[in-house]
Amino acid sequence: MTVDGTEIAVVQFEEKDYISLTDMVRNIENGLALIEKWLRNRNTIEFLGVWEEMYNPNFNSPEFEGIKNEAGLNRFVLSVKQWTEKTNSR
């Protein structure tokens, strides 16, 4: 898919479409920093946890609880890679 001249990957998994956040911010100044800031937000972590618990039977809920407890603290940092590896998210 192309939005405002930016190519955004669309991946189909179990008959559902998913878009790439990385592609969405690729042409925005400090775009990747936006994703990092978004992932530091406690509300974002809670939303992702609810989503995964609803749609991912392999979600690592105990690991998620640890992440959720740290989210929002100044020292808290989480990458997409860390999130997916620690929680077995999709």
Side-chain angles (χ1 to χ4, degrees), residues 1-45:
M1 139 183 8
T2 303
V3 177
D4 290 337
T6 299
E7 192 68 29
I8 300 173
V10 179
V11 177
Q12 191 173 65
F13 181 76
E14 294 182 0
E15 299 181 23
K16 295 182 179 152
D17 292 335
Y18 297 88
I19 59 173
S20 170
L21 289 177
T22 305
D23 288 351
M24 287 175 62
V25 301
R26 185 174 318 272
N27 293 329
I28 297 173
E29 185 176 345
N30 297 318
L32 293 178
L34 290 173
I35 293 175
E36 291 172 2
K37 287 175 109 175
W38 181 68
L39 278 173
R40 292 188 67 200
N41 185 297
R42 184 173 182 83
N43 292 330
T44 299
I45 298 300

